[in-house]
């Protein structure tokens, strides 16, 4: 929410103590009740008594080093620090005695004696030292005070290596808040205190910030009470004047942020993005993307006007919104008149709000008159929707993120949270440091296998394509060793006898599948026993599970394992997909699949269809429409002629790039709605400019089913909201789509979809967030699913037969390529490549095992050709033992690399989710093109992008 003036979030000094019995304390004559163990500092602050503090913050455990929050307690000798003093029943505290005031002034004098008088942070208002000195009355410094930063006791150069923030040792008071934030919140341990006493200083392991292990999450900057750690943007733009609560538009964690801005109207500037402590998904933490990589919203490459052209070889021509909308509507209508109602379709975006996605599927179903609607979830988590629907009865994860704090064993399969979901990874690492055990199933040795203070109990390096064999073997051990929860299986599951007989078959034993999985049978058995014994065992998984030919089977296999062991329906357990994009969950919820209306209800259901037919005044098609692969195939066959693409770049993100591009070329009308002229726009006839998350009004739904508000920080730079554009197209095609604002779209969603019945903008503004299902306005949602019974009644145990993929290594293509993401970049890179994040990952590289590299004469930095049966690309090699022999790995963030040039048409048997994770390839030193030629090509591609 925006306010009339800016103020930082309230800081109560130390964390809350939940669940403790209440005690009565008296602070400066005020009597109050607080949970036992609450710090005196927090109790006083809650009572409106504000004590000075420098080392204390409510996001970190009390440290007691600054000695500014001293108090006197009746019956206690001395003057304890209030931050480290817990409240007990009957305690009487005095915070303003002459003794403590004198001590605070004396301590403040010591701080000022080594703090420069010309501190720009003090002048700006971003450094607390000068203001605190005034508060405690330290007007004079008996020991002298340095006039400038060069005169402090230990002058050192400012570290400007990080593109987003600087470290100025001259302003540092060595309170250790940054060190503790890096360790306790982020879990990276990149910072430390070097030296002793007056020689103490903060160090990034003896290196500058950029070359250290720092991941630029910003936790240290947020924790710093002075201007020692300061955002460049704050120095450039000055202090913010107001703040708007909104939601990050990157990964599926869905972090809440305060967009702190200055100026009004067209002069609005984002000063900084600060993670909100009120955000239930992130609780005040962030990653480098959400915290700093928002500059793409105002990048010079943004297209702010609609454009049209007759053919894809013509130059673009800017037009008015009216002309663009009329061109789209007339073009689509003409194609349907000539080629039939099914000749056109749409693709919704997982980067757009629920409201924007909802109106796109409404446009397709009611204005286009067909069900040819799909979404990018098709190429990532559609097997999650299918597999969990079949087994549990609903197409979403079972837990909230906080649940991981109760897990005793974490089974992590096909996911790399430290890169792809870093804020959740920090939660997970915190739990692991507390003693939870970790099992990692991944061909690549990801950071969580071993990193500071975290080490997996077992790393099962399963070969790409063998996930189902692995999960069956784990379940086989559980059943044959009598480790399953017999009572849970008999009372809460169906088809138990058939499944138990299937999984107990020796064909599923670790020894039988060892050749397929590449996993040592004894290690696998030990991991299975660890998971079964829990007592709370949780499964978290990512695209390394779903993007396989048996992705849906694997999701059902994980559900089987959770049900076998009774790890469903309480905190600390469950089956939890880590969603890739900010609104993948929401785009699926809103009915973006060709066979499902909003709420995952099949289009063939007469009763459900009737709800929308009565509301929209149109008869809806009861037959499922085309999926994205079907649309592309039909385009090449000449029967699918027009496509509306909202915020997706299928020419870069979808597999078999040559096939995708050929299909787009074959269409008569391709309409792209996006921020930038992306790869798909090369084949477009109409370009409709989109809005960034800083301009949107609506909601996102994250991986834990949590609906968060997205609020506009400034007005749309393109003159229309995206939902308004979609509705205008519908009206131009003769279907009345009109809303006063985005809240009315959510009202329609709530009125027609039972799982969202209790959701509205007003309620979200009041309570902060909700996790669906929210069945009525008395509920704030469902953090843990399937408590007592499954959504479908009884859980369904499904026989998950392992069927090896047809994509296998051959003499010509002897290696297997798998793909993934990296921390600093996001998806196809359209956003992050237009920020300073490119400094960390300026290009996609190919990771290859030393044995495979030596055989081919490849060294780190060499330019190599990567080829498969469908295409080839060129990129630089990184020789690393992260990879097992026979498997190579790359990311897909840069269009010049075009990793999907080599991925094939193989897909999941149930959902057509592409098999990105298994492609037979060959790698060799590139001879045809030199580094100079590739650099030129890369520069041209980046300029175009």
């Amino acid at each position: 929410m925006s306010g009339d003036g800016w103020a930082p979030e309230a800081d109560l000094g130390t964390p809350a103590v939940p669940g403790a019995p209440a005690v009565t304390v008296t602070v400066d004559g005020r009597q109050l009740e607080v949970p036992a163990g609450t710090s005196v500092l927090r109790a006083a602050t809650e009572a409106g008594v504000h004590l000075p503090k420098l080392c204390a913050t409510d996001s970190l455990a009390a440290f007691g080093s600054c000695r500014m929050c001293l108090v006197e307690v009746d019956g206690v000798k001395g003057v304890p620090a209030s931050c480290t003093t817990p409240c007990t029943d009957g305690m009487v505290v005095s915070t303003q005695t002459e003794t403590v005031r004198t001590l605070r002034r004396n301590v403040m004098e010591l701080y000022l004696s080594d703090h420069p008088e010309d501190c720009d942070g003090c002048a700006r208002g971003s450094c607390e030292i000068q203001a605190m000195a005034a508060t405690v009355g330290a007007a004079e410094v008996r020991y002298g005070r340095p006039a400038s930063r060069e005169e402090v006791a230990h002058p050192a150069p400012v570290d400007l290596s990080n593109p987003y923030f600087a470290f100025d040792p001259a302003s540092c008071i060595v309170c250790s808040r940054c060190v503790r934030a890096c360790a306790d919140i982020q879990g990276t341990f990149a910072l430390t205190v070097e030296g002793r006493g007056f020689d103490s200083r903060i160090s990034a392991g003896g290196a500058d910030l950029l070359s250290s292990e720092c991941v630029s999450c910003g936790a240290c900057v947020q924790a710093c009470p002075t201007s020692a750690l300061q955002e460049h943007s704050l120095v450039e733009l000055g202090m913010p004047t107001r703040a708007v609560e909104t939601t990050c538009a990157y990964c599926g964690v869905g972090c809440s942020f305060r967009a702190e801005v200055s100026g009004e109207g067209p002069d609005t500037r984002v000063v900084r993005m600060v993670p909100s402590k009120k955000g239930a998904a992130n609780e005040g933490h962030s990653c480098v993307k959400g915290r700093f990589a928002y500059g793409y919203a105002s990048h010079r490459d943004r297209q702010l006007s609609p454009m049209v052209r007759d053919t894809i070889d013509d130059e673009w021509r800017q037009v008015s919104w009216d002309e663009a909308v009329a061109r789209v509507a007339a073009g689509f209508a003409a194609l349907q008149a000539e080629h039939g109602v099914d000749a056109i379709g749409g693709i919704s975006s997982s980067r757009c709000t629920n409201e924007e996605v909802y109106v796109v599927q409404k446009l397709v179903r009611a204005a286009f008159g067909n069900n040819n609607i799909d979404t990018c979830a098709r190429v990532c988590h559609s097997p999650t929707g299918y597999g969990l629907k079949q087994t549990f009865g609903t197409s979403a994860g079972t837990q909230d993120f906080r649940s991981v704090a109760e897990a005793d064993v974490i089974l992590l399969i096909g996911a790399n949270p430290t890169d792809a979901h870093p804020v959740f990874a920090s939660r997970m690492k915190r739990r692991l440091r507390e003693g939870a055990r970790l099992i990692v199933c991944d061909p690549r040795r990801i950071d969580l296998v071993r990193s500071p203070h975290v080490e997996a109990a077992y790393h099962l390096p399963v070969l790409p394509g063998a996930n189902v064999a692995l999960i069956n073997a784990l379940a086989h051990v559980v059943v044959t060793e009598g480790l399953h929860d017999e009572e849970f299986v008999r009372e809460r599951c169906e088809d138990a006898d058939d499944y138990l007989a299937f999984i107990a078959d020796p064909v599923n034993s670790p020894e039988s599948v060892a050749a397929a999985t590449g996993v040592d049978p004894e290690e696998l058995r030990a991991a299975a026993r660890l998971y079964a014994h829990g007592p709370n065992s949780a499964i978290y998984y990512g695209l390394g599970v779903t993007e396989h030919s048996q992705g849906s089977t694997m999701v059902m296999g994980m559900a089987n394992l959770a049900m076998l062991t009774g790890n469903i329906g309480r905190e600390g357990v469950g089956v939890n997909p880590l969603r890739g994009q900010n609104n993948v969950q929401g785009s699926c919820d809103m009915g973006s699949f060709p066979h499902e209306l909003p709420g995952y209800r099949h289009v063939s259901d007469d009763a459900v269809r009737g709800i929308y037919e009565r509301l929209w005044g149109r008869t809806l098609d009861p037959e499922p429409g085309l999926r994205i692969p079907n649309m592309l195939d039909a385009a090449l066959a000449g029967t699918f002629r027009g496509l509306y693409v909202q915020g997706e770049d299928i020419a870069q993100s979808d597999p078999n790039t040559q096939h995708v591009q050929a299909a787009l070329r074959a269409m008569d009308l391709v309409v792209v709605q996006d921020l930038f002229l992306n790869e798909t726009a090369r084949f477009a006839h109409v370009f409709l400019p989109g809005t960034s998350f800083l301009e949107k009004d609506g909601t996102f739904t994250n991986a834990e089913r949590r609906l968060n508000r997205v609020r506009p920080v400034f007005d749309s730079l393109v003159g229309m909201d995206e939902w308004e554009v979609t509705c205008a197209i519908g009206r131009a095609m003769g279907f009345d789509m009109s809303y006063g604002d985005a809240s009315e779209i959510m009202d329609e969603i709530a009125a027609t979809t039972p799982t969202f019945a209790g959701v509205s903008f007003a309620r979200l503004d009041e309570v902060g967030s909700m996790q669906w299902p929210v069945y009525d306005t008395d509920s704030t949602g469902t953090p843990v699913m399937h408590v007592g019974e499954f959504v479908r009644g009884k859980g369904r145990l499904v026989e998950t037969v392992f069927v090896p993929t047809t994509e296998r290594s051959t003499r010509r293509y002897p290696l297997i390529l798998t793909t993934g993401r990296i921390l600093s970049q996001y998806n196809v890179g359209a956003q992050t490549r237009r920020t300073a994040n490119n400094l960390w990952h300026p290009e996609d590289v190919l990771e290859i095992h030393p044995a495979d590299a030596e055989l081919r004469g490849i060294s780190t930095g060499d330019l190599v050709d990567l080829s498969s049966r469908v295409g080839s690309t060129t990129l630089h090699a990184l020789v690393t033992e992260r990879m097992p022999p026979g498997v190579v790995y790359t990311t897909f963030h840069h269009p010049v690399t075009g990793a999907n040039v080599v991925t094939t048409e193989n897909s999941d048997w149930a959902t057509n989710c592409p098999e990105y994770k298994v492609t037979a390839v060959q790698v060799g030193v590139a001879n045809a093109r030199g580094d100079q030629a590739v650099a030129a090509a890369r520069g041209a591609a980046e300029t175009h992008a």
Side-chain angles (χ1 to χ4, degrees):
M1 277 171 225
S2 58
D4 295 331
W6 175 85
E9 278 192 286
D11 191 329
L12 301 179
T14 60
V17 180
V23 296
T24 301
V25 296
T26 302
V27 180
D28 291 347
R30 307 181 192 187
Q31 194 173 86
L32 58 147
E33 283 193 350
V34 296
T38 299
S39 74
V40 169
L41 174 59
R42 185 181 181 100
T45 306
E46 288 178 344
V49 177
H50 296 285
L51 300 178
K53 57 180 172 58
L54 287 171
C55 72
T57 177
D58 57 15
S59 61
L60 295 168
F63 196 56
S65 69
C66 77
R67 315 311 292 172
M68 291 299 299
C69 67
L70 302 175
V71 296
E72 290 192 277
V73 180
D74 286 6
V76 175
K77 290 183 178 180
V79 280
S82 62
C83 63
T84 56
T85 303
C87 291
T88 57
D89 198 40
M91 177 181 281
V92 178
V93 180
S94 298
T95 72
Q96 299 298 328
T97 67
E98 185 57 35
T99 298
V100 297
R101 287 203 298 265
T102 300
L103 286 170
R104 287 174 192 153
R105 284 195 297 271
N106 292 343
V107 172
M108 194 72 235
E109 278 190 86
L110 293 172
Y111 283 119
L112 290 172
S113 71
D114 198 37
H115 193 77
E117 285 192 90
D118 67 350
C119 171
D120 63 345
C122 287
R124 186 186 306 111
S126 58
C127 177
E128 298 175 19
I129 293 292
Q130 197 66 51
M132 184 132 340
T135 298
V136 302
E140 298 180 3
V141 181
R142 291 168 287 175
Y143 319 108
R145 185 176 180 187
S148 67
R149 67 174 314 280
E150 287 75 20
E151 297 177 20
V152 298
H154 299 92
V158 179
D159 184 348
L160 296 169
S161 60
N162 190 286
Y164 295 119
F165 58 88
F167 173 54
D168 183 0
S171 298
C172 179
I173 60 172
V174 198
C175 66
S176 295
R177 274 167 62 164
C178 59
V179 176
R180 291 180 288 136
C182 187
D184 298 348
I185 298 174
Q186 168 57 28
T188 296
F189 296 86
L191 301 178
T192 188
V193 179
E194 289 187 351
R196 296 175 65 85
F198 203 56
D199 294 327
S200 299
R201 64 188 186 277
I202 302 298
S203 171
D208 62 34
L209 285 167
L210 186 63
S211 54
S212 74
E213 293 182 351
C214 170
V215 294
S216 299
C217 67
C220 60
V221 181
Q222 189 171 3
C224 182
T226 72
S227 55
L229 284 159
Q230 195 87 96
E231 300 98 332
H232 297 320
S233 59
L234 192 71
V235 175
E236 178 186 347
L237 299 173
M239 293 297 284
T241 57
R242 60 188 175 92
V244 180
E245 293 272 354
T246 190
T247 304
C248 180
Y250 281 117
C251 80
V253 174
C255 296
S256 296
F257 275 87
R258 282 163 51 95
E260 298 190 346
V261 303
S262 62
E264 297 288 344
D267 296 324
T268 299
R269 297 291 181 270
V270 178
V271 175
R272 60 185 177 186
M273 298 290 289
V274 179
S276 173
K277 291 189 289 188
K278 294 185 290 186
N282 59 317
E283 296 179 332
H285 191 34
S286 60
C287 79
V288 62
K289 294 188 289 290
R291 182 72 158 88
F292 298 115
Y294 54 83
Y296 69 87
S298 55
H299 194 275
R300 62 183 181 275
D301 287 351
R302 266 198 72 176
Q303 301 298 317
L304 304 179
S305 299
M307 299 186 293
V308 301
R309 57 185 178 181
D310 293 328
T311 75
I312 63 173
D313 298 317
D314 294 338
E315 294 295 318
W316 286 107
R317 177 172 61 87
Q318 289 190 8
V319 296
S320 67
W321 274 113
D322 287 344
E323 182 177 341
V325 168
R327 176 81 167 262
V328 172
F332 281 154
L335 290 176
Q336 287 186 306
E338 183 176 353
H339 301 283
V341 71
D342 293 322
I344 62 174
I347 299 173
S348 72
S349 174
S350 294
R351 293 185 288 132
C352 289
T353 65
N354 288 315
E355 294 72 23
E356 290 166 337
V357 170
Y358 178 86
V359 296
V360 169
Q361 65 86 32
K362 180 176 179 178
L363 171 76
V364 171
R365 292 194 158 102
F368 291 6
N370 61 49
N371 287 313
N372 293 340
I373 175 66
D374 211 349
T375 184
C376 91
R378 169 71 52 216
V379 299
C380 59
H381 268 288
S382 51
T384 287
Y386 180 88
L388 295 183
K389 181 77 173 286
Q390 294 295 312
T391 49
F392 296 162
T394 191
S395 301
T398 61
Q399 316 293 122
D400 63 1
F401 289 146
R402 288 176 178 148
S403 172
V404 75
E406 303 299 323
D408 301 301
V409 177
I410 298 169
L411 177 56
L412 182 66
I413 309 178
N416 186 11
T418 54
D419 275 3
H421 304 88
V423 172
F424 175 73
S426 293
R427 279 188 191 268
M428 182 182 287
K429 288 191 289 184
R430 191 178 314 137
R431 180 57 184 152
L432 294 172
R433 294 195 302 274
E434 292 168 349
R437 308 289 300 281
L438 174 66
I439 304 165
V440 174
C441 303
D442 198 294
R444 189 167 171 257
R445 196 181 69 231
I446 62 173
D447 286 345
L448 283 173
V449 172
R450 186 170 187 177
S451 57
H453 299 273
V454 168
E455 185 171 8
Y458 299 98
H459 175 212
L460 308 182
V462 58
L463 294 173
N467 284 344
V468 172
L470 176 82
I471 203 73
N472 284 348
L474 290 168
H476 174 89
V477 174
V478 170
V479 170
T480 57
E481 295 188 8
L483 303 176
H484 59 295
D485 187 333
E486 183 75 23
E487 181 180 357
F488 186 96
V489 169
R490 294 301 174 189
E491 290 185 1
R492 295 198 52 187
C493 303
E494 62 184 38
D495 299 334
D497 290 334
D498 289 344
Y499 175 77
L500 292 173
F502 158 76
I503 206 65
D505 191 314
V507 72
N508 291 314
S509 72
E511 293 75 17
S512 296
V513 302
T517 63
V519 176
D520 179 280
E522 287 307 311
E523 287 281 290
L524 195 153
R525 285 184 177 276
R529 293 169 189 141
L530 177 61
Y531 176 85
H533 283 123
N536 284 345
S537 295
I539 297 173
Y540 292 90
Y541 70 94
L543 302 183
V545 160
T546 57
E547 292 177 346
H548 286 269
S549 61
Q550 279 200 290
S552 294
T553 308
M554 179 60 180
V555 173
M556 292 187 288
M558 293 184 301
N560 288 340
L561 183 62
M563 289 187 286
L564 274 180
T565 53
N567 280 303
I568 290 291
R570 63 181 186 277
E571 290 190 352
V573 299
V575 180
N576 305 284
L578 296 175
R579 302 276 187 168
Q581 296 192 60
N582 55 298
N583 203 35
V584 168
Q585 182 68 60
S587 67
C588 300
D589 299 342
M590 293 299 106
S592 291
F593 287 137
H595 65 293
E596 288 176 334
L597 290 159
Y600 303 99
R601 295 166 295 171
H602 204 276
V603 295
S604 63
D605 188 318
D606 293 343
V608 174
R609 237 178 26 260
I611 295 171
Y612 295 98
E613 289 177 339
R614 289 188 292 274
L615 180 65
W616 297 346
R618 290 288 176 99
T619 300
L620 303 185
D621 190 346
E623 295 296 325
L626 300 177
R627 298 169 173 174
I628 293 173
N630 306 136
M631 295 181 198
L632 300 177
D633 290 343
L636 291 172
T639 57
F640 188 84
R641 313 298 293 234
L643 181 64
Y644 174 31
V645 187
Q646 177 202 47
E648 291 299 333
D649 192 4
I650 61 173
Q652 186 180 344
S653 64
D654 282 36
N656 197 347
T657 302
Q658 294 180 16
H659 176 74
V660 175
Q661 292 181 353
L664 289 170
R665 282 194 187 94
M667 297 184 200
D668 300 304
L669 178 57
V670 175
V671 180
V672 168
Q673 187 170 21
D674 214 313
L675 302 179
F676 307 105
L677 285 169
N678 56 25
E679 295 299 297
T680 305
R682 292 169 51 201
F683 308 94
H685 305 87
V686 179
F687 181 86
L688 305 175
T691 55
S692 74
F693 80 109
L694 295 172
E695 300 149 73
K696 293 184 185 296
D697 187 16
T699 57
F700 291 151
T701 307
N702 74 353
E704 53 173 354
R705 297 171 282 104
R706 185 180 303 280
L707 286 99
N708 271 316
R709 283 282 278 119
V710 185
R711 298 181 179 89
V713 175
F714 46 79
D715 293 336
S716 168
L717 297 182
V718 301
M720 293 182 74
D721 291 326
E722 288 193 41
W723 63 265
E724 291 180 305
V725 176
T726 304
C727 290
I729 294 170
R731 290 194 298 273
M733 295 184 72
F735 175 62
D736 184 19
M737 294 176 66
S738 299
Y739 301 94
D741 55 39
S743 70
E744 293 184 4
I745 305 175
M746 176 52 75
D747 291 343
E748 182 173 314
I749 295 166
T752 55
T753 312
T755 48
F756 291 85
V759 179
S760 67
F761 281 20
R763 293 202 68 217
L764 287 169
D765 290 342
E766 177 186 353
V767 304
S769 65
M770 301 181 198
Q771 289 176 264
W772 69 259
V774 188
Y775 290 118
D776 54 54
T777 54
D778 294 326
S779 168
T780 56
T782 312
V784 177
M785 297 283 286
H786 316 299
V787 178
E789 70 173 354
F790 290 93
V791 170
R792 68 185 306 277
K794 284 193 171 187
R796 181 183 171 211
L797 290 163
V798 179
E799 295 180 30
T800 49
V801 178
F802 171 52
V803 179
T805 175
T806 58
E807 184 70 12
R808 303 175 189 178
S809 57
T810 63
R811 177 176 294 184
R812 185 174 182 183
Y813 301 109
L815 302 175
I816 294 294
L817 169 71
T818 190
T819 60
R821 302 184 181 196
I822 202 162
L823 172 63
S824 58
Q825 298 286 3
Y826 171 70
N827 205 31
V828 297
Q831 293 148 273
T832 45
R833 282 187 286 105
R834 291 177 170 89
T835 70
N837 279 28
N838 251 12
L839 187 64
W840 287 282
H841 190 71
E843 62 178 332
D844 297 317
V845 298
L846 184 76
E847 295 185 10
I848 184 169
H849 187 271
D852 295 322
E854 183 178 8
L855 184 65
R856 292 160 175 80
I858 294 171
S859 300
T860 291
D862 284 352
L863 195 66
V864 296
D865 281 326
L866 174 69
S867 58
S868 73
R869 60 184 171 83
V870 300
S872 64
T873 188
T874 308
L875 65 172
H876 288 97
L878 173 62
V879 180
T880 172
E881 291 188 349
R882 273 180 177 265
M883 302 307 302
V887 181
V888 294
Y889 169 90
T890 191
T891 53
F892 56 94
H893 304 302
H894 291 267
V896 67
T897 306
N900 286 321
V901 169
V902 301
T903 54
T904 71
E905 72 284 354
N906 274 22
S907 65
D908 174 53
W909 64 272
T911 65
N912 282 136
C913 180
E915 191 173 38
Y916 290 115
K917 304 305 182 191
V918 187
T919 304
V921 296
Q922 178 59 289
V923 178
V925 175
N927 295 316
R929 290 184 285 172
D931 284 304
Q932 186 174 3
V934 172
R938 180 167 285 113
E942 296 292 343
T943 299
H944 166 75

